[in-house]
Amino acid sequence: MIIKVINPNTTQSMTDKIGATARLVAAAGTEIIAVSPRFGPVSIEGHYDEALSVVGVLDEIRSGEAAGVDAYVIACFGDPGLLAARELASGPVIGIAEAAMHAASVLTTGFSVVTTLVRSCIIAEHLTHNYGMAKFCRGIHGTDLAVLDLEESGSDAYQVVLNSCRQALATDRSGAIVMGCAGMSDLCVRLQDELEVPVIDGVTAAIKWAEGMVAIGLKTSKKGDLALPIGKLFSGDLARFGK
Ligand code: 5HY
């Protein structure tokens, strides 16, 4: 099976890291294609960035459908464009926030999210309600690390995230940590060893979930709101997205 992992920001080093993390857990026979859109923001740290990243995500879904991709992972913790992507896709589309929260909810009765900027915490909070995970989410904590700080080798990002995880576990009385950024996917194993609680990365959780659904023949429903988009004219820069 082919799983296309879409990093909605355009930072190739982060896409390469996300791809490497995904390949570490992918089953034999699963081909991982990790991509960034050809256009969009270098990082997503708020509503504006997220809104403008969605067209790039949809462009990658469209080319994936033409290439016979079996499933997709949207590798940004805001799960940008998730429902619109499901309209276009025949196979399952999983968001990393959705996957991480659901995985956490079967491992503990209360988890904490540790993410990047404080200003993007509200996006995660909205998702906990959208996904019915609010009753499991005991707190969302911003480290005020910029997303691209996670790409700086030699930075103190790991220590900042570790300290924030420790504080979250104590303050929230939670039993697990959900990583609130795809750029943190490579920190999980080490954090889990140090914290001795489950530390859940959405990239790996989404890969295993997608693999499982493809393996049992499940596809996105084309009945109702996730049916293929209605063909119509789009103008200007979006003209090529129309019929
Ligand atoms: C992410 N931004 O996973 C989110 C994290 C965040 O560019 N990749 C990004 O801060 O919302």
Side-chain angles (χ1 to χ4, degrees):
M1 74 174 76
I2 304 173
I3 299 181
K4 190 174 190 177
V5 181
I6 304 168
N7 169 17
N9 75 41
T10 58
T11 298
Q12 191 57 43
S13 65
M14 187 174 285
T15 304
D16 297 342
K17 176 167 65 178
I18 291 166
T21 302
R23 290 184 190 98
L24 282 176
V25 301
T30 298
E31 179 190 350
I32 300 289
I33 302 171
V35 299
S36 268
R38 290 172 297 134
F39 51 86
V42 290
S43 66
I44 297 163
E45 294 170 321
H47 309 293
Y48 180 82
D49 301 346
E50 197 169 87
L52 288 174
S53 74
V54 170
V55 181
V57 169
L58 299 177
D59 196 35
E60 290 302 329
I61 300 280
R62 263 181 7 146
S63 58
E65 289 302 287
V69 165
D70 298 292
Y72 303 86
V73 169
I74 297 180
C76 171
F77 202 75
D79 296 351
L82 186 61
L83 291 178
R86 286 178 175 157
E87 280 188 64
L88 275 178
S90 50
V93 183
I94 312 281
I96 64 168
E98 177 187 38
M101 292 181 191
H102 281 89
S105 71
V106 299
L107 301 174
T108 180
T109 55
F111 63 78
S112 302
V113 176
V114 170
T115 187
T116 55
L117 298 184
V118 169
R119 69 174 289 167
S120 58
C121 289
I122 188 67
I123 295 175
E125 191 176 326
H126 287 168
L127 292 182
T128 63
H129 293 284
N130 293 355
Y131 298 146
M133 288 286 125
K135 63 179 176 290
F136 292 99
C137 182
R138 297 231 179 111
I140 299 170
H141 304 262
T143 55
D144 260 347
L145 285 167
V147 168
L148 296 186
D149 288 344
L150 297 162
E151 295 307 293
E152 298 298 321
S153 56
S155 81
D156 63 351
Y158 176 80
Q159 198 57 49
V160 171
V161 173
L162 176 63
N163 296 345
S164 183
C165 290
R166 286 213 167 99
Q167 199 181 351
L169 290 168
T171 310
D172 301 344
R173 292 178 295 102
S174 52
I177 296 286
V178 164
M179 294 278 92
C181 180
M184 294 174 179
S185 62
D186 60 332
L187 306 180
C188 275
V189 174
R190 194 175 159 203
L191 285 167
Q192 191 160 271
D193 289 347
E194 292 214 51
L195 296 166
E196 297 177 332
V197 297
V199 177
I200 298 123
D201 152 55
V203 173
T204 46
I207 292 293
K208 298 320 283 184
W209 196 0
E211 276 181 339
M213 287 206 278
V214 173
I216 58 176
L218 292 177
K219 292 180 175 288
T220 298
S221 171
K222 291 299 145 190
K223 185 174 182 331
D225 65 311
L226 299 182
L228 287 173
I230 300 162
K232 62 189 65 181
L233 289 178
F234 282 66
S235 56
D237 292 350
L238 295 179
R240 65 194 180 81
F241 288 91
K243 65 176 177 184

